[in-house]
Amino acid sequence: MSRFLSSRLSALEAYTPGEQPQDMAYIKLNTNESPFPPSPGVLAALNGQEAARLNLYPDPAGAGLVERLAQHYGVNPENVFLGNGSDEILSFAFMAFCDGERHVAFPDISYGFYPVYAQLYGIPAQVIPLAEDLSIRAEDYCGLQKNIVIANPNAPTGLCLTRSEIERILRTNPGYVVLVDEAYVDFGGESCAQLINRYDNLLVVQTYSKSRSMAGARLGFALGEKALIEDLNRIKFSINPYNINRLTLVAGEVALEEQDYYDARCKNIMENRTYATKELRRRGFFVTDSRANFLFARHPVLLGRELYSKLKKLGILIRHFNKPRISDYVRITVGTREQMDALLRAIDQLLA
Ligand SMILES: *Cc1c(COP(=O)(O)O)cnc(C)c1O
């Protein structure tokens, strides 16, 4: 820390991303990326003419992509906001809707960025414990009179609320924004995207990083009532109007034309999830019923930290969170069948 850093930030604990090692080839099951490349059309488009136009700024409105996303999700373009990854959208939403009077609430075990944004913007946060079985209790969020942020499916547990549970939260907090972070919804969750016309306090946030194999392109989007989207744009045009680069805008559009490719990859991941869950349980693990592209698991003997470091030595990266309540657990991204078999072989070796 330099002596110049604002005192406002001196206590800020930054988010710790999962490791992105550049030194050797791990089987990478630690940051919930897709094991599959983007679809063929996306790759072709990126090799094309758009790169030659990088001398020019991109469209700050991203109108082409906004239009396609609106069609894809059956909403109007005025209901769509684009972000440089959904992390940027979360950041803008915390900034736009929360303050010293309008507090925020989120679960104790959830995406690690929520408390970071609350701290960064000086927003008082009510952190609500998950139930004993690691589920989110919808009733804990009813009538809170606070902005609410819920990942659905939740991370790192993989557990879901139903759409009607989210609706109860929306109905009982009409004066506050309910942000539903649907980063993993394409792996078997129930999306609330279709509810945005019924609830003016609903903001649904999704990403291309997981189900659309584009974590490296940095593209997320939000769906919500026109006025909410305008508020996000007010922030964006005050920080970084060109937040999505030209190549990513093109990739995002073409990916929507190849939805079948992504649906098939998601289906494969879900099959591998069923397989790996069963195999881990056979080996004595407790594994939640994940609806995401990761597993949340605990072994009675090989506890979180130890399992993480031993697998790393064997060339397999998973994620361990050194946090109360979940320090015995690990989060394992669901990859290809081959990757899951390599993981299981390594675990057998460690248990032998
Ligand atoms: C991965 C993830 C995101 C962010 O993804 P981006 O790459 O920034 O789009 C947001 N929320 C949750 C819960 C995630 O796991």
Side-chain angles (χ1 to χ4, degrees), residues 1 43 72 112 115 123 144 179 196 202 212 229 232 249 259 277 298 339 350 352:
M1 192 189 310
L43 298 180
H72 193 88
I123 302 157
L144 267 193
L179 187 158
I196 60 159
L202 169 62
R212 289 198 173 102
I229 300 302
L232 292 175
L249 284 173
Q259 190 57 41
T277 300
R298 167 171 49 82
Q339 289 178 319
L350 296 177

Side-chain angles (χ1 to χ4, degrees), residues 32 85-87 90 111 114 151 155 181 183-184 207 209-210 218-220:
N32 300 343
S86 53
D87 288 339
L90 297 172
Y111 189 37
Y114 307 152
D181 181 347
Y184 299 103
T207 177
S209 293
K210 277 77 187 226
R218 313 305 303 129
L219 182 59

